[in-house]
Amino acid sequence: DQQVKQNSPSLSVQEGRISILNCDYTNSMFDYFLWYKKYPAEGPTFLISISSIKDKNEDGRFTVFLNKSAKHLSLHIVPSQPGDSAVYFCAVLNTGNQFYFGTGTSLTVIP
Amino acid sequence: DTGVSQNPRHKITKRGQNVTFRCDPISEHNRLYWYRQTLGQGPEFLTYFQNEAQLEKSRLLSDRFSAERPKGSFSTLEIQRTEQGDSAMYLCASSLAVKIPNYGYTFGSGTRLTVV
């Protein structure tokens, strides 16, 4: 039972354009959501988070949007840069301070 | 402090052998987590410790798996009688038991296990 779904395994975007990564979750009780970025041979690194009391959180080029009624989370990166090429995981906080992760979306930013 | 350290980085073992991985968390972090990531999947929670106490275990953690954190610092994850299905990246993370923007989760680079 996949609690968090990322339906796009890969995404290619031209440098300078917007990258939009999507994530759907199943449980309306989840109240904290995060995006992680992962390069090959490294562990995931935290990118940005949002709590359920908000619908948008922005940090530089990265913005996370939360649509609670649709149980949908998205990450916007603008402008996209080649260094953003990585696998992006969305994650939701479960009880006990553990996370459910999605399956990841591999982003390629083409120079 | 160089972050969360995991050793070894890679381990190849024959089916049926036992393996042990080590995780050294960030020194002031009192929580330590183990996750497993298989190809094409996101990390899956295995277990976590607060100090030396193991507070939660996933159903993924079968009887062949055991984790310890004897002095509340480093942790070991042992897999007995390894099976090919155990082949995965084993990730360790640590945090403080307080709510900060990312719950303070810092992941290590992982140990990649290959069972042949």
Side-chain angles (χ1 to χ4, degrees):
Chain A
D1 55 339
Q2 192 73 24
Q3 301 274 359
V4 183
K5 294 180 181 178
Q6 292 177 255
N7 291 317
S8 297
S10 63
L11 175 68
S12 292
V13 172
Q14 289 286 338
E15 181 178 3
R17 305 294 291 269
I18 185 170
S19 296
I20 300 176
L21 295 95
N22 294 302
C23 177
D24 296 298
Y25 59 95
T26 57
N27 190 336
S28 58
M29 299 300 291
F30 292 140
D31 63 0
Y32 199 73
F33 308 86
L34 306 91
W35 284 95
Y36 278 82
K37 178 178 177 179
K38 186 179 186 300
Y39 293 115
E42 295 184 12
T45 54
F46 169 73
L47 194 57
I48 193 168
S49 64
I50 189 168
S51 76
S52 60
I53 61 172
K54 295 185 175 182
D55 54 20
K56 177 183 174 181
N57 188 26
E58 192 171 351
D59 183 3
R61 297 185 298 112
F62 303 91
T63 303
V64 56
F65 293 93
L66 178 62
N67 182 334
K68 291 185 288 295
S69 60
K71 299 195 196 77
H72 181 79
L73 187 70
S74 64
L75 175 68
H76 292 206
I77 307 172
V78 56
S80 301
Q81 299 174 353
D84 296 330
S85 297
V87 178
Y88 290 79
F89 293 99
C90 66
V92 300
L93 181 68
N94 191 22
T95 56
N97 209 26
Q98 53 151 303
F99 292 113
Y100 288 125
F101 284 84
T103 51
T105 296
S106 178
L107 173 66
T108 302
V109 180
I110 303 164
Chain B
D1 193 344
T2 56
V4 178
S5 177
Q6 290 189 247
N7 289 289
R9 292 295 304 272
H10 304 275
K11 179 71 178 178
I12 301 174
T13 190
K14 291 184 178 178
R15 188 163 49 113
Q17 298 292 306
N18 299 346
V19 293
T20 301
F21 312 138
R22 176 177 170 127
C23 172
D24 288 273
I26 292 173
S27 56
E28 62 267 27
H29 285 182
N30 55 357
R31 287 194 174 184
L32 186 146
Y33 311 80
W34 286 99
Y35 280 77
R36 180 179 73 182
Q37 184 178 10
T38 53
L39 197 62
Q41 300 295 316
E44 297 172 294
F45 172 79
L46 293 178
T47 188
Y48 93 93
F49 294 83
Q50 181 153 324
N51 301 313
E52 65 275 7
Q54 189 172 17
L55 296 187
E56 192 168 341
K57 292 195 290 187
S58 160
R59 58 181 173 78
L60 293 175
L61 212 66
S62 76
D63 291 344
R64 296 184 297 105
F65 287 69
S66 62
E68 294 183 344
R69 195 183 183 198
K71 297 181 180 179
S73 57
F74 73 91
S75 175
T76 57
L77 177 67
E78 181 183 17
I79 309 175
Q80 296 182 327
R81 304 181 303 282
T82 52
E83 301 173 356
Q84 287 187 322
D86 298 331
S87 296
M89 175 75 82
Y90 289 84
L91 293 162
C92 175
S94 69
S95 76
L96 286 169
V98 293
K99 292 183 180 182
I100 56 179
N102 65 330
Y103 281 73
Y105 252 63
T106 301
F107 280 92
S109 296
T111 294
R112 180 167 295 285
L113 173 66
T114 303
V115 181
V116 297

PDB file of all heavy atoms in Angstrom, chain A residues 4-34:
ATOM      1  N   VAL A   4       2.449   7.243  -0.606  1.00  0.00           N
ATOM      2  CA  VAL A   4       2.888   8.427  -1.338  1.00  0.00           C
ATOM      3  C   VAL A   4       3.247   7.988  -2.750  1.00  0.00           C
ATOM      4  O   VAL A   4       4.006   7.041  -2.924  1.00  0.00           O
ATOM      5  CB  VAL A   4       4.116   9.056  -0.655  1.00  0.00           C
ATOM      6  CG1 VAL A   4       4.529  10.317  -1.380  1.00  0.00           C
ATOM      7  CG2 VAL A   4       3.829   9.357   0.808  1.00  0.00           C
ATOM      8  N   LYS A   5       2.706   8.691  -3.728  1.00  0.00           N
ATOM      9  CA  LYS A   5       2.938   8.277  -5.109  1.00  0.00           C
ATOM     10  C   LYS A   5       3.506   9.418  -5.935  1.00  0.00           C
ATOM     11  O   LYS A   5       3.010  10.543  -5.878  1.00  0.00           O
ATOM     12  CB  LYS A   5       1.635   7.809  -5.760  1.00  0.00           C
ATOM     13  CG  LYS A   5       1.060   6.551  -5.148  1.00  0.00           C
ATOM     14  CD  LYS A   5      -0.224   6.142  -5.838  1.00  0.00           C
ATOM     15  CE  LYS A   5      -0.798   4.888  -5.198  1.00  0.00           C
ATOM     16  NZ  LYS A   5      -2.079   4.483  -5.821  1.00  0.00           N
ATOM     17  N   GLN A   6       4.551   9.104  -6.678  1.00  0.00           N
ATOM     18  CA  GLN A   6       5.064  10.025  -7.669  1.00  0.00           C
ATOM     19  C   GLN A   6       4.927   9.310  -9.005  1.00  0.00           C
ATOM     20  O   GLN A   6       5.639   8.357  -9.283  1.00  0.00           O
ATOM     21  CB  GLN A   6       6.533  10.372  -7.370  1.00  0.00           C
ATOM     22  CG  GLN A   6       6.696  11.188  -6.100  1.00  0.00           C
ATOM     23  CD  GLN A   6       8.147  11.460  -5.770  1.00  0.00           C
ATOM     24  OE1 GLN A   6       8.709  10.849  -4.874  1.00  0.00           O
ATOM     25  NE2 GLN A   6       8.753  12.390  -6.493  1.00  0.00           N
ATOM     26  N   ASN A   7       3.990   9.755  -9.794  1.00  0.00           N
ATOM     27  CA  ASN A   7       3.608   8.994 -10.982  1.00  0.00           C
ATOM     28  C   ASN A   7       4.510   9.227 -12.178  1.00  0.00           C
ATOM     29  O   ASN A   7       4.422   8.498 -13.169  1.00  0.00           O
ATOM     30  CB  ASN A   7       2.157   9.307 -11.355  1.00  0.00           C
ATOM     31  CG  ASN A   7       1.191   8.749 -10.324  1.00  0.00           C
ATOM     32  OD1 ASN A   7       1.349   7.627  -9.860  1.00  0.00           O
ATOM     33  ND2 ASN A   7       0.201   9.544  -9.947  1.00  0.00           N
ATOM     34  N   SER A   8       5.361  10.234 -12.087  1.00  0.00           N
ATOM     35  CA  SER A   8       6.284  10.485 -13.190  1.00  0.00           C
ATOM     36  C   SER A   8       7.676  10.042 -12.783  1.00  0.00           C
ATOM     37  O   SER A   8       8.321  10.707 -11.986  1.00  0.00           O
ATOM     38  CB  SER A   8       6.303  11.972 -13.547  1.00  0.00           C
ATOM     39  OG  SER A   8       5.044  12.390 -13.993  1.00  0.00           O
ATOM     40  N   PRO A   9       8.165   8.951 -13.336  1.00  0.00           N
ATOM     41  CA  PRO A   9       9.505   8.501 -12.950  1.00  0.00           C
ATOM     42  C   PRO A   9      10.607   9.408 -13.456  1.00  0.00           C
ATOM     43  O   PRO A   9      11.701   9.427 -12.892  1.00  0.00           O
ATOM     44  CB  PRO A   9       9.620   7.104 -13.561  1.00  0.00           C
ATOM     45  CG  PRO A   9       8.505   6.972 -14.511  1.00  0.00           C
ATOM     46  CD  PRO A   9       7.488   8.006 -14.215  1.00  0.00           C
ATOM     47  N   SER A  10      10.329  10.167 -14.530  1.00  0.00           N
ATOM     48  CA  SER A  10      11.373  11.031 -15.063  1.00  0.00           C
ATOM     49  C   SER A  10      10.767  12.279 -15.679  1.00  0.00           C
ATOM     50  O   SER A  10       9.591  12.301 -16.064  1.00  0.00           O
ATOM     51  CB  SER A  10      12.219  10.283 -16.096  1.00  0.00           C
ATOM     52  OG  SER A  10      11.433   9.905 -17.193  1.00  0.00           O
ATOM     53  N   LEU A  11      11.611  13.315 -15.750  1.00  0.00           N
ATOM     54  CA  LEU A  11      11.189  14.603 -16.302  1.00  0.00           C
ATOM     55  C   LEU A  11      12.413  15.277 -16.896  1.00  0.00           C
ATOM     56  O   LEU A  11      13.471  15.308 -16.265  1.00  0.00           O
ATOM     57  CB  LEU A  11      10.600  15.466 -15.188  1.00  0.00           C
ATOM     58  CG  LEU A  11      10.209  16.901 -15.530  1.00  0.00           C
ATOM     59  CD1 LEU A  11       9.016  16.897 -16.476  1.00  0.00           C
ATOM     60  CD2 LEU A  11       9.865  17.679 -14.258  1.00  0.00           C
ATOM     61  N   SER A  12      12.272  15.821 -18.105  1.00  0.00           N
ATOM     62  CA  SER A  12      13.350  16.584 -18.739  1.00  0.00           C
ATOM     63  C   SER A  12      12.873  18.001 -18.999  1.00  0.00           C
ATOM     64  O   SER A  12      11.768  18.199 -19.510  1.00  0.00           O
ATOM     65  CB  SER A  12      13.770  15.937 -20.059  1.00  0.00           C
ATOM     66  OG  SER A  12      14.400  14.706 -19.841  1.00  0.00           O
ATOM     67  N   VAL A  13      13.725  18.948 -18.663  1.00  0.00           N
ATOM     68  CA  VAL A  13      13.360  20.354 -18.780  1.00  0.00           C
ATOM     69  C   VAL A  13      14.570  21.121 -19.328  1.00  0.00           C
ATOM     70  O   VAL A  13      15.711  20.809 -18.989  1.00  0.00           O
ATOM     71  CB  VAL A  13      12.964  20.918 -17.396  1.00  0.00           C
ATOM     72  CG1 VAL A  13      12.762  22.403 -17.436  1.00  0.00           C
ATOM     73  CG2 VAL A  13      11.709  20.228 -16.896  1.00  0.00           C
ATOM     74  N   GLN A  14      14.303  22.114 -20.133  1.00  0.00           N
ATOM     75  CA  GLN A  14      15.373  22.978 -20.634  1.00  0.00           C
ATOM     76  C   GLN A  14      15.834  23.914 -19.522  1.00  0.00           C
ATOM     77  O   GLN A  14      15.024  24.406 -18.710  1.00  0.00           O
ATOM     78  CB  GLN A  14      14.888  23.801 -21.809  1.00  0.00           C
ATOM     79  CG  GLN A  14      14.658  23.010 -23.091  1.00  0.00           C
ATOM     80  CD  GLN A  14      15.956  22.619 -23.766  1.00  0.00           C
ATOM     81  OE1 GLN A  14      16.992  23.236 -23.552  1.00  0.00           O
ATOM     82  NE2 GLN A  14      15.906  21.575 -24.572  1.00  0.00           N
ATOM     83  N   GLU A  15      17.131  24.180 -19.506  1.00  0.00           N
ATOM     84  CA  GLU A  15      17.685  25.134 -18.544  1.00  0.00           C
ATOM     85  C   GLU A  15      16.941  26.462 -18.640  1.00  0.00           C
ATOM     86  O   GLU A  15      16.636  26.953 -19.742  1.00  0.00           O
ATOM     87  CB  GLU A  15      19.173  25.339 -18.840  1.00  0.00           C
ATOM     88  CG  GLU A  15      19.863  26.291 -17.890  1.00  0.00           C
ATOM     89  CD  GLU A  15      21.344  26.442 -18.184  1.00  0.00           C
ATOM     90  OE1 GLU A  15      21.830  25.844 -19.174  1.00  0.00           O
ATOM     91  OE2 GLU A  15      22.023  27.151 -17.418  1.00  0.00           O
ATOM     92  N   GLY A  16      16.630  27.037 -17.489  1.00  0.00           N
ATOM     93  CA  GLY A  16      15.944  28.318 -17.446  1.00  0.00           C
ATOM     94  C   GLY A  16      14.431  28.213 -17.390  1.00  0.00           C
ATOM     95  O   GLY A  16      13.759  29.182 -17.002  1.00  0.00           O
ATOM     96  N   ARG A  17      13.905  27.043 -17.751  1.00  0.00           N
ATOM     97  CA  ARG A  17      12.454  26.867 -17.706  1.00  0.00           C
ATOM     98  C   ARG A  17      12.034  26.365 -16.324  1.00  0.00           C
ATOM     99  O   ARG A  17      12.860  26.087 -15.457  1.00  0.00           O
ATOM    100  CB  ARG A  17      12.020  25.870 -18.796  1.00  0.00           C
ATOM    101  CG  ARG A  17      12.475  26.238 -20.188  1.00  0.00           C
ATOM    102  CD  ARG A  17      11.822  27.508 -20.692  1.00  0.00           C
ATOM    103  NE  ARG A  17      10.402  27.369 -20.952  1.00  0.00           N
ATOM    104  CZ  ARG A  17       9.877  27.022 -22.130  1.00  0.00           C
ATOM    105  NH1 ARG A  17      10.665  26.764 -23.153  1.00  0.00           N
ATOM    106  NH2 ARG A  17       8.577  26.951 -22.281  1.00  0.00           N
ATOM    107  N   ILE A  18      10.726  26.218 -16.152  1.00  0.00           N
ATOM    108  CA  ILE A  18      10.211  25.732 -14.871  1.00  0.00           C
ATOM    109  C   ILE A  18      10.148  24.205 -14.848  1.00  0.00           C
ATOM    110  O   ILE A  18       9.788  23.576 -15.847  1.00  0.00           O
ATOM    111  CB  ILE A  18       8.811  26.331 -14.579  1.00  0.00           C
ATOM    112  CG1 ILE A  18       8.326  25.936 -13.193  1.00  0.00           C
ATOM    113  CG2 ILE A  18       7.813  25.923 -15.651  1.00  0.00           C
ATOM    114  CD1 ILE A  18       7.064  26.679 -12.748  1.00  0.00           C
ATOM    115  N   SER A  19      10.549  23.623 -13.735  1.00  0.00           N
ATOM    116  CA  SER A  19      10.361  22.181 -13.491  1.00  0.00           C
ATOM    117  C   SER A  19       9.233  22.031 -12.490  1.00  0.00           C
ATOM    118  O   SER A  19       9.222  22.721 -11.463  1.00  0.00           O
ATOM    119  CB  SER A  19      11.620  21.553 -12.910  1.00  0.00           C
ATOM    120  OG  SER A  19      12.706  21.602 -13.810  1.00  0.00           O
ATOM    121  N   ILE A  20       8.286  21.160 -12.797  1.00  0.00           N
ATOM    122  CA  ILE A  20       7.187  20.890 -11.875  1.00  0.00           C
ATOM    123  C   ILE A  20       7.162  19.405 -11.578  1.00  0.00           C
ATOM    124  O   ILE A  20       6.990  18.584 -12.481  1.00  0.00           O
ATOM    125  CB  ILE A  20       5.837  21.345 -12.463  1.00  0.00           C
ATOM    126  CG1 ILE A  20       5.860  22.843 -12.745  1.00  0.00           C
ATOM    127  CG2 ILE A  20       4.702  20.996 -11.483  1.00  0.00           C
ATOM    128  CD1 ILE A  20       4.599  23.366 -13.408  1.00  0.00           C
ATOM    129  N   LEU A  21       7.364  19.079 -10.310  1.00  0.00           N
ATOM    130  CA  LEU A  21       7.345  17.690  -9.879  1.00  0.00           C
ATOM    131  C   LEU A  21       6.116  17.477  -8.994  1.00  0.00           C
ATOM    132  O   LEU A  21       5.818  18.309  -8.142  1.00  0.00           O
ATOM    133  CB  LEU A  21       8.619  17.343  -9.110  1.00  0.00           C
ATOM    134  CG  LEU A  21       9.904  17.414  -9.935  1.00  0.00           C
ATOM    135  CD1 LEU A  21      10.579  18.772  -9.773  1.00  0.00           C
ATOM    136  CD2 LEU A  21      10.857  16.311  -9.563  1.00  0.00           C
ATOM    137  N   ASN A  22       5.435  16.378  -9.203  1.00  0.00           N
ATOM    138  CA  ASN A  22       4.164  16.138  -8.532  1.00  0.00           C
ATOM    139  C   ASN A  22       4.199  14.929  -7.612  1.00  0.00           C
ATOM    140  O   ASN A  22       4.971  13.983  -7.828  1.00  0.00           O
ATOM    141  CB  ASN A  22       3.061  15.944  -9.584  1.00  0.00           C
ATOM    142  CG  ASN A  22       2.810  17.188 -10.384  1.00  0.00           C
ATOM    143  OD1 ASN A  22       2.492  18.240  -9.831  1.00  0.00           O
ATOM    144  ND2 ASN A  22       2.961  17.093 -11.689  1.00  0.00           N
ATOM    145  N   CYS A  23       3.311  14.971  -6.640  1.00  0.00           N
ATOM    146  CA  CYS A  23       3.261  13.925  -5.633  1.00  0.00           C
ATOM    147  C   CYS A  23       1.829  13.836  -5.108  1.00  0.00           C
ATOM    148  O   CYS A  23       1.203  14.869  -4.857  1.00  0.00           O
ATOM    149  CB  CYS A  23       4.234  14.288  -4.517  1.00  0.00           C
ATOM    150  SG  CYS A  23       4.266  13.169  -3.121  1.00  0.00           S
ATOM    151  N   ASP A  24       1.313  12.641  -4.964  1.00  0.00           N
ATOM    152  CA  ASP A  24      -0.011  12.431  -4.385  1.00  0.00           C
ATOM    153  C   ASP A  24       0.113  11.551  -3.147  1.00  0.00           C
ATOM    154  O   ASP A  24       0.939  10.635  -3.112  1.00  0.00           O
ATOM    155  CB  ASP A  24      -0.934  11.737  -5.405  1.00  0.00           C
ATOM    156  CG  ASP A  24      -1.179  12.597  -6.623  1.00  0.00           C
ATOM    157  OD1 ASP A  24      -1.751  13.693  -6.462  1.00  0.00           O
ATOM    158  OD2 ASP A  24      -0.764  12.196  -7.715  1.00  0.00           O
ATOM    159  N   TYR A  25      -0.715  11.816  -2.160  1.00  0.00           N
ATOM    160  CA  TYR A  25      -0.688  11.010  -0.946  1.00  0.00           C
ATOM    161  C   TYR A  25      -2.102  10.538  -0.618  1.00  0.00           C
ATOM    162  O   TYR A  25      -3.084  11.054  -1.161  1.00  0.00           O
ATOM    163  CB  TYR A  25      -0.059  11.774   0.221  1.00  0.00           C
ATOM    164  CG  TYR A  25      -0.749  13.068   0.588  1.00  0.00           C
ATOM    165  CD1 TYR A  25      -1.712  13.116   1.596  1.00  0.00           C
ATOM    166  CD2 TYR A  25      -0.427  14.253  -0.066  1.00  0.00           C
ATOM    167  CE1 TYR A  25      -2.328  14.299   1.939  1.00  0.00           C
ATOM    168  CE2 TYR A  25      -1.036  15.435   0.261  1.00  0.00           C
ATOM    169  CZ  TYR A  25      -1.993  15.453   1.261  1.00  0.00           C
ATOM    170  OH  TYR A  25      -2.599  16.638   1.597  1.00  0.00           O
ATOM    171  N   THR A  26      -2.176   9.542   0.246  1.00  0.00           N
ATOM    172  CA  THR A  26      -3.468   8.880   0.439  1.00  0.00           C
ATOM    173  C   THR A  26      -4.180   9.274   1.725  1.00  0.00           C
ATOM    174  O   THR A  26      -5.401   9.211   1.793  1.00  0.00           O
ATOM    175  CB  THR A  26      -3.280   7.360   0.451  1.00  0.00           C
ATOM    176  OG1 THR A  26      -2.341   7.023   1.483  1.00  0.00           O
ATOM    177  CG2 THR A  26      -2.753   6.857  -0.890  1.00  0.00           C
ATOM    178  N   ASN A  27      -3.419   9.672   2.742  1.00  0.00           N
ATOM    179  CA  ASN A  27      -3.995   9.847   4.067  1.00  0.00           C
ATOM    180  C   ASN A  27      -4.141  11.329   4.406  1.00  0.00           C
ATOM    181  O   ASN A  27      -3.156  12.059   4.510  1.00  0.00           O
ATOM    182  CB  ASN A  27      -3.087   9.160   5.101  1.00  0.00           C
ATOM    183  CG  ASN A  27      -3.717   9.076   6.472  1.00  0.00           C
ATOM    184  OD1 ASN A  27      -4.599   9.864   6.816  1.00  0.00           O
ATOM    185  ND2 ASN A  27      -3.272   8.125   7.258  1.00  0.00           N
ATOM    186  N   SER A  28      -5.365  11.765   4.591  1.00  0.00           N
ATOM    187  CA  SER A  28      -5.609  13.177   4.875  1.00  0.00           C
ATOM    188  C   SER A  28      -5.108  13.586   6.258  1.00  0.00           C
ATOM    189  O   SER A  28      -5.092  14.766   6.589  1.00  0.00           O
ATOM    190  CB  SER A  28      -7.099  13.483   4.754  1.00  0.00           C
ATOM    191  OG  SER A  28      -7.834  12.670   5.644  1.00  0.00           O
ATOM    192  N   MET A  29      -4.706  12.620   7.063  1.00  0.00           N
ATOM    193  CA  MET A  29      -4.198  12.939   8.394  1.00  0.00           C
ATOM    194  C   MET A  29      -2.735  13.353   8.389  1.00  0.00           C
ATOM    195  O   MET A  29      -2.226  13.859   9.389  1.00  0.00           O
ATOM    196  CB  MET A  29      -4.370  11.730   9.332  1.00  0.00           C
ATOM    197  CG  MET A  29      -5.807  11.309   9.530  1.00  0.00           C
ATOM    198  SD  MET A  29      -6.806  12.629  10.233  1.00  0.00           S
ATOM    199  CE  MET A  29      -6.126  12.705  11.885  1.00  0.00           C
ATOM    200  N   PHE A  30      -2.046  13.120   7.288  1.00  0.00           N
ATOM    201  CA  PHE A  30      -0.652  13.562   7.220  1.00  0.00           C
ATOM    202  C   PHE A  30      -0.605  15.076   7.366  1.00  0.00           C
ATOM    203  O   PHE A  30      -1.427  15.782   6.770  1.00  0.00           O
ATOM    204  CB  PHE A  30      -0.008  13.167   5.895  1.00  0.00           C
ATOM    205  CG  PHE A  30       0.185  11.696   5.719  1.00  0.00           C
ATOM    206  CD1 PHE A  30      -0.058  11.105   4.493  1.00  0.00           C
ATOM    207  CD2 PHE A  30       0.631  10.897   6.757  1.00  0.00           C
ATOM    208  CE1 PHE A  30       0.138   9.740   4.299  1.00  0.00           C
ATOM    209  CE2 PHE A  30       0.813   9.536   6.585  1.00  0.00           C
ATOM    210  CZ  PHE A  30       0.561   8.958   5.350  1.00  0.00           C
ATOM    211  N   ASP A  31       0.354  15.577   8.137  1.00  0.00           N
ATOM    212  CA  ASP A  31       0.350  17.017   8.343  1.00  0.00           C
ATOM    213  C   ASP A  31       1.693  17.691   8.107  1.00  0.00           C
ATOM    214  O   ASP A  31       1.845  18.878   8.392  1.00  0.00           O
ATOM    215  CB  ASP A  31      -0.156  17.353   9.754  1.00  0.00           C
ATOM    216  CG  ASP A  31       0.745  16.814  10.844  1.00  0.00           C
ATOM    217  OD1 ASP A  31       1.772  16.177  10.527  1.00  0.00           O
ATOM    218  OD2 ASP A  31       0.422  17.024  12.027  1.00  0.00           O
ATOM    219  N   TYR A  32       2.658  16.940   7.573  1.00  0.00           N
ATOM    220  CA  TYR A  32       3.948  17.564   7.295  1.00  0.00           C
ATOM    221  C   TYR A  32       4.551  16.901   6.076  1.00  0.00           C
ATOM    222  O   TYR A  32       4.602  15.665   6.010  1.00  0.00           O
ATOM    223  CB  TYR A  32       4.864  17.423   8.507  1.00  0.00           C
ATOM    224  CG  TYR A  32       6.011  18.394   8.510  1.00  0.00           C
ATOM    225  CD1 TYR A  32       5.811  19.736   8.777  1.00  0.00           C
ATOM    226  CD2 TYR A  32       7.305  17.969   8.236  1.00  0.00           C
ATOM    227  CE1 TYR A  32       6.856  20.633   8.773  1.00  0.00           C
ATOM    228  CE2 TYR A  32       8.360  18.857   8.229  1.00  0.00           C
ATOM    229  CZ  TYR A  32       8.124  20.187   8.495  1.00  0.00           C
ATOM    230  OH  TYR A  32       9.164  21.080   8.489  1.00  0.00           O
ATOM    231  N   PHE A  33       4.987  17.716   5.141  1.00  0.00           N
ATOM    232  CA  PHE A  33       5.401  17.199   3.834  1.00  0.00           C
ATOM    233  C   PHE A  33       6.755  17.799   3.469  1.00  0.00           C
ATOM    234  O   PHE A  33       7.018  18.970   3.750  1.00  0.00           O
ATOM    235  CB  PHE A  33       4.364  17.581   2.762  1.00  0.00           C
ATOM    236  CG  PHE A  33       2.965  17.204   3.133  1.00  0.00           C
ATOM    237  CD1 PHE A  33       2.177  18.046   3.899  1.00  0.00           C
ATOM    238  CD2 PHE A  33       2.437  15.980   2.736  1.00  0.00           C
ATOM    239  CE1 PHE A  33       0.888  17.692   4.258  1.00  0.00           C
ATOM    240  CE2 PHE A  33       1.152  15.617   3.086  1.00  0.00           C
ATOM    241  CZ  PHE A  33       0.377  16.476   3.850  1.00  0.00           C
ATOM    242  N   LEU A  34       7.563  16.992   2.823  1.00  0.00           N
ATOM    243  CA  LEU A  34       8.915  17.450   2.504  1.00  0.00           C
ATOM    244  C   LEU A  34       9.314  16.986   1.105  1.00  0.00           C
ATOM    245  O   LEU A  34       8.753  16.026   0.568  1.00  0.00           O
ATOM    246  CB  LEU A  34       9.934  16.860   3.488  1.00  0.00           C
ATOM    247  CG  LEU A  34       9.691  17.062   4.969  1.00  0.00           C
ATOM    248  CD1 LEU A  34       8.881  15.906   5.539  1.00  0.00           C
ATOM    249  CD2 LEU A  34      11.015  17.165   5.720  1.00  0.00           C
TER     250      LEU A  34
END
